[in-house]
């Protein structure tokens, strides 16, 4: 493919998705319905190339990358040292299951686990596989049949993780009967709190629900294996739990002899300014799920770390797959961790986080459409609300504003994430040039101001089904 394609050629490529990818047959009817309502047509992006803090589209227009490979490129795009380490592993090992890099990476991971208390590791290919493996591990270790997860949680798109997740009611439509072993508990959001509770009352309610309501009225405590929790609810909207809540979960697990499973696929390995998000809360999980940042955005590599007694002797639990712990994935992980230590990546992430929080601090007061700015380290999100929307229309209207802000950002050179929640989520590289990050936040604020002033929204106009574009 040519480095530079004309706009017409790019549009033709996008349109081909209608005959190649999922939901292609629905696009035209949905688009016509959106156009009839007067919604604007959103921009679509296919990456032509990527490097460092930027991506370029097929016309070679440059974008500041706040999407970050869905928070998978901790050191920016296409880090040359990691690429070379991967190539070297390919040249030396190709693909074989037993190779020394598996042992080396497991050793390095044991050294950096919270409190160095999770010494054993099981390799998986993706965060989805790792989350499923962690749950199976907990069930088999405890010989119990139920797991607790949370509303709006997202743990992957596998059959098992669809059952565990509660990202939205539509995400596991027609599969509801499969989720009989999963108990969904309320997550302590800071907005949309029910029954006129204040945030502290809602945290208290969520902890009461876990500690008393579930064991008393849903499933006996002795048949619950554990709680699977994201210490930073990423896909569901970058919700940041309080210290009291995460410590309360640990206390409840201890009381009922449940395992605490921390899903750190997105929040781990520096995303929140600490190596692991649980370190903000001074708790030690029993099992920790690892993915995304582990291999520097170059090769798939994920897995599960656990206490010695949980993973060291658990013959019923199975995990791994053909491509779990590949030589290339392990090489990428080893080089990524080496760069973290050498270049003080966690320190850089904390510095960028402070700058970002200062830059966004007044947005909720300054703009009527911004309901809340949430951040923990470089896990950053902006929540939107339409102050003019009627009660029954607020959910859709809020989403439309978020999508429109994201679209305005894209017009002006910043790529971020907005899916089916009324939030724009941003995941800069942990070592992003601070001038680039601040420029991206300037463009973000300008986009918010433009959408608030114009009132024009993207609405429910669909993304082309290309498999690589979206809101």
């Amino acid at each position: 493919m040519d480095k530079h394609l004309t706009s017409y050629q790019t549009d033709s490529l996008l349109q081909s998705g209608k005959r190649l990818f999922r939901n292609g047959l629905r696009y035209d009817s949905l688009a016509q319905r959106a156009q009839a309502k007067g919604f604007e047509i959103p921009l679509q992006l296919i990456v032509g190339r990527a490097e460092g803090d930027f991506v370029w589209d097929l016309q070679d227009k440059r974008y500041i990358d706040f999407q970050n490979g869905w928070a998978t490129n901790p050191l920016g795009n296409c880090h040359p040292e990691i690429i070379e380490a991967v190539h070297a592993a390919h040249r030396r090992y190709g693909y074989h299951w037993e190779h020394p890099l598996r042992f080396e990476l497991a050793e390095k991971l044991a050294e950096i686990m919270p409190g160095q208390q999770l010494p054993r590791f099981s390799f998986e290919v993706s965060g989805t596989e790792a989350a499923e493996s962690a749950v199976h591990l907990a069930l088999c270790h405890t010989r119990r049949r139920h797991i607790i997860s949370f509303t709006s949680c997202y743990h992957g798109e596998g059959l098992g993780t669809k059952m565990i997740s509660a990202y939205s009611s539509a995400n596991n439509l027609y599969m509801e009967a499969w989720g009989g072993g999963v108990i969904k508990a309320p997550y302590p959001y800071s907005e949309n709190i029910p029954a006129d509770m204040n945030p502290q009352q809602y945290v208290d309610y969520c902890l009461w629900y876990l500690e008393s309501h579930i064991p008393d009225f849903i499933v006996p405590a002795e048949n619950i294996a554990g709680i699977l929790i994201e210490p930073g609810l990423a896909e569901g909207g970058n919700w940041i739990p309080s210290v009291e809540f995460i410590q309360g979960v640990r206390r409840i697990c201890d009381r009922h002899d449940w395992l605490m499973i921390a899903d750190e696929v997105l929040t781990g390995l520096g995303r929140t300014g600490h190596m692991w998000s649980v370190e903000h809360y001074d708790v030690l999980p029993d099992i920790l799920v690892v993915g995304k940042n582990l291999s520097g955005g170059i090769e798939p590599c994920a897995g599960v770390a656990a206490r010695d007694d949980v993973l060291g002797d658990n013959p019923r639990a199975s995990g791994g797959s053909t491509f779990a712990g590949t030589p290339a994935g392990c090489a990428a992980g080893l080089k990524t961790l080496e760069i973290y230590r050498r270049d003080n990546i966690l320190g850089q992430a904390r510095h960028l986080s402070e700058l970002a929080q200062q830059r966004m601090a007044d947005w909720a007061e300054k703009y009527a459409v911004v309901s809340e700015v949430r951040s923990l380290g470089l896990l950053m999100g902006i929540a939107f609300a339409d102050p003019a929307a009627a009660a029954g229309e607020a959910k859709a209207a809020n989403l439309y504003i978020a999508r429109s802000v994201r679209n305005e950002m894209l017009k002006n050179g910043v790529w971020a994430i907005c899916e089916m929640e009324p939030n724009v989520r941003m995941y800069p590289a942990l070592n992003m040039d601070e001038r680039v990050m601040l420029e991206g936040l300037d463009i973000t604020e300008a986009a918010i101001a433009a959408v608030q002033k114009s009132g024009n929204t993207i609405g429910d106009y669909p993304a082309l089904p290309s498999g690589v574009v979206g809101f």
Side-chain angles (χ1 to χ4, degrees):
M1 184 177 292
D2 292 339
K3 179 181 177 183
H4 307 293
L5 296 179
T6 67
S7 177
Y8 173 80
Q9 289 170 313
T10 301
D11 183 65
S12 177
L13 184 63
L14 284 165
Q15 291 292 336
S16 71
K18 290 192 292 185
R19 63 177 173 80
L20 294 172
F21 297 119
R22 184 177 57 233
N23 289 324
L25 293 176
R26 302 174 62 238
Y27 178 80
D28 286 336
S29 61
L30 290 173
Q32 289 170 8
R33 188 172 69 187
Q35 287 175 318
K37 294 179 181 179
F39 291 127
E40 291 187 7
I41 300 173
L43 296 179
Q44 306 288 317
L45 172 64
I46 295 180
V47 175
R49 60 189 178 98
E51 182 180 348
D53 296 335
F54 304 99
V55 296
W56 288 259
D57 65 18
L58 296 176
Q59 281 77 56
D60 217 37
K61 177 181 177 180
R62 192 184 74 173
Y63 302 84
I64 294 171
D65 187 8
F66 281 173
Q67 195 259 17
N68 196 239
W70 234 264
T72 303
N73 302 314
L75 305 174
N77 293 292
C78 305
H79 195 287
E81 291 182 65
I82 302 175
I83 290 174
E84 178 51 40
V86 166
H87 287 343
H90 279 148
R91 288 190 294 266
R92 180 164 185 171
Y93 302 107
Y95 175 71
H96 287 282
W97 178 265
E98 293 295 354
H99 57 89
L101 303 183
R102 291 169 57 87
F103 300 84
E104 293 177 34
L105 181 55
E107 189 76 33
K108 296 296 183 184
L109 288 168
E111 293 172 1
I112 64 171
M113 283 295 154
Q116 295 185 326
Q117 296 300 303
L118 306 175
R120 292 189 181 268
F121 197 79
S122 177
F123 283 101
E124 304 290 344
V125 175
S126 68
T128 294
E129 287 189 353
E132 292 183 352
S133 178
V135 169
H136 190 230
L137 180 65
L139 298 173
C140 292
H141 174 72
T142 61
R143 302 186 187 187
R144 299 174 179 181
R145 292 173 174 81
H146 289 82
I147 201 81
I148 297 172
S149 64
F150 292 92
T151 53
S152 298
C153 70
Y154 180 83
H155 300 287
E157 289 291 344
L159 186 61
T161 46
K162 277 182 179 290
M163 299 301 95
I164 298 164
S165 298
Y167 183 55
S168 73
S169 59
N171 203 49
N172 57 359
L173 188 64
Y174 309 122
M175 302 169 66
E176 295 87 349
W178 291 56
V182 181
I183 305 163
K184 306 291 175 61
Y187 198 86
Y189 312 111
S190 50
E191 291 189 303
N192 302 322
I193 297 171
D196 296 322
M197 295 180 184
N198 62 41
Q200 180 58 52
Q201 289 171 329
Y202 190 53
V203 168
D204 292 342
Y205 169 77
C206 292
L207 289 172
W208 167 84
Y209 193 95
L210 288 171
E211 187 163 22
S212 300
H213 183 72
I214 290 175
D216 289 346
F217 298 104
I218 301 177
V219 172
E222 59 269 22
N223 204 14
I224 295 173
I227 297 177
L228 176 64
I229 186 167
E230 296 172 89
L233 196 67
E235 296 287 343
N238 281 358
W239 299 96
I240 312 299
S242 66
V243 172
E244 178 185 357
F245 180 73
I246 298 297
Q247 291 185 347
V249 169
R250 178 70 271 181
R251 173 182 56 78
I252 292 166
C253 286
D254 291 341
R255 176 189 171 189
H256 291 305
D257 195 25
W258 298 343
L259 295 176
M260 182 178 180
I261 310 168
D263 184 342
E264 295 251 18
V265 169
L266 196 148
T267 58
L269 287 156
R271 174 53 55 192
T272 65
H274 288 315
M275 186 63 78
W276 309 105
S277 186
V278 291
E279 293 175 336
H280 289 279
Y281 303 97
D282 195 27
V283 300
L284 293 175
D286 304 297
I287 301 172
L288 190 145
V289 186
V290 183
K292 287 191 181 287
N293 281 357
L294 178 58
S295 55
I298 304 301
E299 283 282 323
C301 191
V304 178
R307 290 189 340 230
D308 194 52
D309 61 308
V310 173
L311 191 53
D313 184 12
N314 195 339
R316 297 175 180 82
S318 59
S321 62
T322 300
F323 291 102
T326 64
C330 291
L334 286 165
K335 181 56 69 172
T336 298
L337 295 181
E338 176 189 324
I339 295 170
Y340 268 46
R341 291 189 297 272
R342 184 192 72 199
D343 296 348
N344 186 25
I345 296 300
L346 296 183
Q348 292 187 51
R350 287 191 289 270
H351 173 66
L352 290 175
S353 171
E354 291 171 2
L355 293 178
Q357 289 177 10
Q358 293 169 11
R359 183 66 186 81
M360 300 186 294
D362 64 348
W363 288 2
E365 297 177 4
K366 197 172 179 181
Y367 300 102
V369 296
V370 175
S371 62
E372 192 172 62
V373 175
R374 298 188 284 268
S375 64
L376 183 63
L378 294 175
L379 182 83
M380 306 193 308
I382 311 163
F384 294 92
D386 186 343
E393 300 173 352
K395 182 176 181 180
N398 298 347
L399 173 61
Y400 297 166
I401 290 176
R403 284 184 164 190
S404 302
V405 169
R406 187 266 187 186
N407 192 61
E408 190 69 22
M409 293 167 66
L410 198 61
K411 288 180 185 177
N412 293 287
V414 174
W415 194 23
I417 297 172
C418 177
E419 293 184 285
M420 298 307 295
E421 297 288 333
N423 311 288
V424 170
R425 295 187 284 131
M426 300 178 291
Y427 303 116
L430 307 186
N431 63 346
M432 179 174 269
D433 186 299
E434 67 179 66
R435 294 167 298 180
V436 174
M437 186 191 74
L438 291 173
E439 180 186 353
L441 293 176
D442 287 345
I443 293 171
T444 301
E445 182 176 10
I448 295 169
V451 170
Q452 177 167 296
K453 182 178 180 180
S454 72
N456 296 327
T457 58
I458 296 303
D460 54 3
Y461 204 102
L464 281 164
S466 70
V468 291
V469 297
F471 292 105

